[in-house]
Amino acid sequence: MSDTLATRLAALTPEQRARLRAALPGARPDTGEPAPGQLRLWQVHQQVDGRPVDVVCQAVRFTGAPVDLDLLAARVRGFAAAHEALRTTFETSGDGTGTVRRVVHRELAPRLSRIRCADEAEAHAAAVSLAAEPFDPATGPLLRVALAEGPAPDLAWMLVAVHNLVFDAWSFELLLDELARKTDPAAAPRPYSAYVRDQADWLRGPEGRAGAAYWAAETAAAPAPLPTDRPRAEPARRDGARIAFTLPAPVADAVAASAQREATTAYAGWLAVAWAALAEFGGSEDVLLGTFTTGRNRPGTDTVVGYLLNVLPVRLRDGGTGSHRDRVRAVRTATRAGLEHASYPGELIDAGRRVPGTHPLFDAVFVFDNLGADERRVQGARVTTADLDKGTARFDLTLAVYPGPDGVTGWLEYDTALYDEATVRRLAERFTALAHLAAQEADQ
């Protein structure tokens, strides 16, 4: 390669590099077929009449030092230009089949605005309002950002509302990394369309067929969904609410330590507590939960922006004596067995049950999110994030646990058409009580 050519290639923007790579001889054309997860999200969007059920709504707070909001705006624009998922819209065929297709645009700028907020409550309300305005997948853009000045020079917010069709929790972390970047951008990221093609190839291969067989067997004779206060119906509107809870650091540390003693992770410790609470709630030890995986266990996916998140079942049946230790061991066994097949899309699992709502398999989901546990700084300012309640529910019940240096925060999100607040509050109280009991057992 000549020095001149190398210099010209090095000067290309990430977006230009991605276009060049796609145009190289032998590059496979993008058919526009959505990933299975995207197709489900598109269908849910139609079902809920555009309510922000599957919309990421985050408030990013900058404290301790002034931040240049113009620079943040430029970084957001560059991030959207570099990642094709954020320049994507969705169209349906005109042949009556309703086939959905991804359309990647050369240019599709995010919607950026500048506002002022007097305090945290006003900033959070502005973010929720940003998410509540209906998204149109056919026209986009599907990324909205409001940059908010605070009442003091060292306080500001970035309010993010983005449809899950083109974004997930890992993508949000990549966006924060871009804001904090101090050096030149890295090489062009792998485009989302390449991920979709790789996934389709994998599904047609022996690993994909093994995954289909494994999950079909794991969900055979699945237990009934959890009881509700009112009958399930379709279509589900998915209006929702949250019951928040906190647990102190000694409890969180003990639950994590109990899992570590069984050669597993804090995720397994908290999933064991969730299992105990939901087994009591449903009256059966056999519990089928959805659990989120990043969907990034194949090479090259760690820098891909888009919806790679996968919701897979974890089947928990035999709690032994019912002790926390026995439950942790059972969780460890179940999750390790499924790990080999974690790339298989949950939407494609051929299960013996179907749950009315927005996912064919799951009524209840467990979330353990420690992606943002490490401290991050942007332009010298400390960054904290808040996942905001939009007044919707992605599933009948979602139990979320967020570990941090001061303990655990979390919430139970519920579909208000199915559950009364008092019912979910009792479940949240029982979960926290069982966490205390698990910590006591671990300390003995």
Side-chain angles (χ1 to χ4, degrees):
M1 180 186 297
S2 69
D3 291 341
T4 302
L5 179 57
T7 301
R8 293 177 63 186
L9 289 173
L12 294 176
T13 67
E15 181 189 14
Q16 290 169 332
R17 293 177 194 170
R19 291 178 185 170
L20 176 61
R21 181 167 55 191
L24 290 174
R28 295 170 60 188
D30 180 18
T31 65
E33 181 180 359
Q38 281 186 313
L39 181 58
R40 177 180 63 83
L41 292 172
W42 186 88
Q43 292 167 341
V44 170
H45 183 82
Q46 313 308 311
Q47 175 182 321
V48 300
D49 296 327
R51 282 187 296 281
V53 173
D54 292 303
V55 172
V56 176
C57 182
Q58 290 273 353
V60 183
R61 184 179 65 180
F62 306 99
T63 56
V67 293
D68 183 343
L69 296 184
D70 290 333
L71 177 57
L72 292 187
R75 289 289 177 87
V76 170
R77 291 190 188 96
F79 187 78
H83 294 279
E84 70 169 39
L86 298 177
R87 294 180 281 107
T88 297
T89 57
F90 297 81
E91 66 179 16
T92 52
S93 63
D95 57 6
T97 63
T99 302
V100 182
R101 179 177 174 270
R102 289 178 294 105
V103 180
V104 179
H105 302 265
R106 282 186 173 273
E107 295 182 2
L108 183 62
R111 198 177 88 182
L112 277 165
S113 58
R114 292 282 288 269
I115 62 174
R116 288 181 177 271
C117 293
D119 53 28
E120 190 104 82
E122 186 176 347
H124 287 190
V128 172
S129 178
L130 198 66
E133 183 182 340
F135 283 85
D136 185 351
T139 60
L142 300 181
L143 170 62
R144 301 169 184 165
V145 174
L147 297 168
E149 298 179 36
D154 61 349
L155 177 60
W157 291 271
M158 182 179 74
L159 312 175
V160 180
V162 53
H163 204 292
N164 273 130
L165 277 164
V166 297
F167 210 73
D168 59 13
W170 190 287
S171 302
F172 180 64
E173 295 297 316
L174 292 175
L175 172 59
L176 296 181
D177 288 344
E178 172 62 16
L179 299 184
R181 176 175 54 79
K182 296 180 180 178
T183 59
D184 291 336
R190 188 166 178 76
Y192 185 78
S193 56
Y195 160 77
V196 176
R197 289 195 298 268
D198 290 348
Q199 183 185 54
D201 290 344
W202 184 89
L203 285 169
R204 287 190 290 267
E207 291 177 299
R209 292 192 294 271
Y214 174 82
W215 291 117
E218 188 68 7
T219 55
L226 294 169
T228 59
D229 293 320
R230 286 169 290 281
R232 293 178 172 88
E234 292 190 281
R237 283 182 51 86
R238 285 306 191 208
D239 295 322
R242 290 179 181 177
I243 302 294
F245 59 82
T246 60
L247 286 158
V251 172
D253 293 344
V255 170
S258 69
Q260 189 174 23
R261 282 194 290 270
E262 300 302 326
T264 187
T265 63
Y267 161 82
W270 286 106
L271 182 51
V273 178
W275 176 18
L278 293 174
E280 282 189 14
F281 183 73
S284 171
E285 277 294 309
D286 190 355
V287 173
L288 180 66
L289 278 173
T291 185
F292 289 101
T293 66
T294 64
R296 297 172 185 269
N297 50 337
R298 293 203 300 276
T301 54
D302 57 328
T303 61
V304 177
V305 166
Y307 188 78
L308 283 70
L309 199 68
N310 197 14
V311 192
L312 287 171
V314 55
R315 183 81 175 272
L316 303 169
R317 285 174 265 199
D318 183 5
T321 65
S323 69
H324 181 66
R325 182 175 66 177
D326 281 358
R327 288 189 185 278
V328 168
R329 289 174 174 173
V331 168
R332 180 190 63 195
T333 299
T335 53
R336 285 183 178 175
L339 193 60
E340 182 180 350
H341 307 288
S343 293
Y344 193 82
E347 289 81 8
L348 301 184
I349 294 174
D350 184 13
R353 78 172 189 181
R354 190 187 187 286
V355 180
T358 49
H359 196 290
L361 184 56
F362 304 118
D363 61 319
V365 168
F366 175 73
V367 177
F368 181 81
D369 187 353
N370 60 354
L371 283 178
D374 297 332
E375 182 176 292
R376 179 185 266 112
R377 289 188 176 270
V378 170
Q379 300 178 30
R382 183 172 180 265
V383 176
T384 56
T385 62
D387 175 40
L388 302 179
D389 180 2
K390 310 182 299 292
T392 60
R394 296 185 73 180
F395 300 89
D396 297 357
L397 284 171
T398 300
L399 173 57
V401 173
Y402 297 89
D406 300 321
V408 156
T409 60
W411 38 260
L412 258 169
E413 184 178 88
Y414 63 99
D415 188 323
T416 54
L418 302 180
Y419 290 104
D420 295 327
E421 178 185 344
T423 300
V424 181
R425 191 171 296 279
R426 285 193 299 271
L427 178 57
E429 290 170 351
R430 188 57 183 152
F431 173 79
T432 57
L434 287 166
H436 279 278
L437 288 175
Q440 291 172 14
E441 180 188 319
D443 290 336
Q444 291 175 357

